[in-house]
Amino acid sequence: MAIRQIRTIGDEILRKECKAVKEMSHRIRQLIEDMFETMYEANGVGLAAPQVGILKQIVVIDVEDGNQYVLINPEILEQRGSQTGPEGCLSVPGKHGTVTRPDYVKVRALDEDMQEFELEAEEFLARAICHECDHLHGDLYVDIVEGELMDNGEESEEE
Ligand code: NI
């Protein structure tokens, strides 16, 4: 496993569309392991492959609910309600802002064995899924932030 360099805002790679993963490989398994390690090392709760410079539709999430989610080629099938709250991003270090997201999402994705599954999520997990899926399409939360970006305190969660 290895810590990968996290790309930060201004890097054009964060603005590109990611390609779907067609088959699992040793390289992609390694990438997923590295993404978790990189995310944990940075105290993040989610990371998308373009944030480490790889334009593939892969997301990892750990919002400390006891699960390590791997979403390959994720597609949001349903969304409902709304929640407005603070959001940060490992690619926008030291900042956070207020973002409105759906309060519920249902997502379909492939797991590390390329098996399809559906996941229903609410509240913070729903927010994380939306944030990470946006990364796969070149979208950053700063595009939809309400008001100004603010400086972080010592403790904050970033995606
Ligand atoms: Ni992010």
Side-chain angles (χ1 to χ4, degrees):
M1 295 212 290
I3 306 282
R4 303 215 182 188
Q5 187 200 337
I6 297 177
R7 306 298 185 97
T8 54
I9 189 164
D11 189 323
E12 274 306 301
I13 205 155
L14 293 172
R15 294 305 194 171
K16 295 191 190 309
E17 186 73 24
C18 293
K19 292 207 167 71
V21 175
K22 295 210 174 69
E23 57 184 0
M24 187 44 60
S25 65
H26 176 72
R27 248 179 127 86
I28 293 176
R29 283 187 190 277
Q30 188 69 58
L31 168 65
I32 292 168
E33 278 187 26
D34 289 354
M35 285 172 64
F36 274 113
E37 193 176 2
T38 302
M39 177 183 80
Y40 290 132
E41 204 258 348
N43 295 314
V45 297
L47 193 71
Q51 293 182 273
V52 293
I54 307 289
L55 290 172
K56 291 186 190 301
Q57 293 180 19
I58 302 172
V59 158
V60 301
I61 293 173
D62 185 343
V63 294
E64 295 175 353
D65 67 351
N67 295 294
Q68 289 184 308
Y69 297 107
V70 177
L71 278 63
I72 298 172
N73 306 343
E75 184 187 351
I76 292 174
L77 302 175
E78 287 177 35
Q79 55 182 66
R80 284 202 291 273
S82 81
Q83 56 173 319
T84 299
E87 197 164 309
C89 179
L90 293 174
S91 293
V92 189
K95 302 280 185 187
H96 68 279
T98 301
V99 180
T100 297
R101 299 283 190 184
D103 196 45
Y104 163 93
V105 296
K106 183 196 238 183
V107 65
R108 179 167 62 208
L110 304 176
D111 65 17
E112 282 175 287
D113 297 315
M114 300 298 274
Q115 298 299 304
E116 191 175 290
F117 67 99
E118 288 183 3
L119 174 64
E120 289 181 289
E122 294 179 302
E123 301 175 352
F124 191 59
L125 180 58
R127 174 181 294 281
I129 289 169
C130 293
H131 177 114
E132 300 311 330
C133 288
D134 276 357
H135 273 297
L136 303 180
H137 305 289
D139 297 326
L140 299 176
Y141 86 89
V142 299
D143 306 336
I144 54 170
V145 72
E146 294 159 29
E148 299 292 311
L149 288 183
M150 290 164 279
D151 291 325
N152 286 348
E154 279 181 22
E155 285 291 317
S156 65
E157 290 174 304
E158 298 179 294
E159 298 165 53

